[in-house]
Amino acid sequence: ILYTSGSTGHPKGVVASHRSILTSIISWILLGVASEQAGEIPPNTPAAEDAVALLTIPLFHVTGCHSLFLLSLIIGRKLVMMDKWDPEQALVLIEQEKITYVNGVPTTSQELLDAAENSERNISSLVDLFSGGAARPPEHVRRISEDFKLNPGNGYGLTETNAMGAVNSGKTYIQ
């Protein structure tokens, strides 16, 4: 049972079966395969076994638990966990652990970019900067893709759908 406040703001228990959780994870794997077949994966995207994700979202949330933790476990992606969000610490971890993928709310990626602008940290391993939970302003997307040369993406899901929903990234997201 995971909890969601949904549209009312009052916590409600959502029952997630093993099958429903695995269905979401398998769907993300299939989405990755389809994107690769369609030529929509940026050329500098590492293979799963070479990818490293930074967990900035608590494990009690479906994004942290399902789309980062469980998906990483199944595809063999290394996962570096933060105990709480701190953009300066994230830069240290990106440099030390050669992190290639970061996902969080739009504020997370905005704070990361702001910190990186004024830092000497080497974040050249970073390829993908994704977000969810809210739409990013167009200027933020432009900054990610043009100024930092990263692949931006955004996802939308619900606790009730085990974080599965809509994903928009790469060329279609930038336009």
Side-chain angles (χ1 to χ4, degrees):
I1 296 176
L2 298 163
Y3 287 87
T4 179
S5 58
S7 58
T8 65
H10 297 292
K12 294 172 282 302
V14 174
V15 176
S17 68
H18 288 107
R19 179 178 286 178
S20 67
I21 294 168
L22 285 173
T23 298
S24 291
I25 294 167
I26 291 166
S27 295
W28 289 315
I29 293 169
L30 291 173
L31 178 62
V33 170
S35 297
E36 187 174 25
Q37 293 295 317
E40 295 175 2
I41 303 290
N44 58 341
T45 300
E49 62 272 10
D50 298 323
V52 183
L54 180 63
L55 180 68
T56 65
I57 303 161
L59 289 172
F60 64 74
H61 191 278
V62 289
T63 301
C65 182
H66 298 10
S67 65
L68 282 163
F69 178 70
L70 292 176
L71 180 60
S72 294
L73 183 69
I74 288 174
I75 67 173
R77 175 176 63 187
K78 178 180 171 180
L79 185 65
V80 176
M81 298 181 177
M82 295 186 78
D83 63 338
K84 65 179 182 173
W85 173 246
D86 178 323
E88 298 296 332
Q89 181 62 27
L91 292 175
V92 170
L93 291 171
I94 292 168
E95 182 178 51
Q96 287 178 348
E97 302 291 336
K98 305 292 186 240
I99 289 170
T100 61
Y101 177 87
V102 174
N103 190 351
V105 296
T107 304
T108 301
S109 57
Q110 185 66 45
E111 289 177 353
L112 182 65
L113 296 179
D114 290 345
E117 236 172 21
N118 302 312
S119 174
E120 297 297 318
R121 296 280 177 192
N122 179 357
I123 62 165
S124 61
S125 63
L126 191 59
V127 175
D128 296 308
L129 190 53
F130 276 56
S131 71
R136 279 186 175 132
E139 174 57 27
H140 187 171
V141 176
R142 186 210 59 77
R143 186 175 179 213
I144 293 167
S145 64
E146 293 179 15
D147 295 353
F148 284 85
K149 308 293 187 228
L150 301 173
N151 178 40
N154 191 294
Y156 174 81
L158 306 164
T159 304
E160 294 84 346
T161 64
N162 294 295
M164 176 49 76
V167 178
N168 192 3
S169 66
K171 291 181 253 179
T172 57
Y173 184 55
I174 294 167
Q175 295 175 355

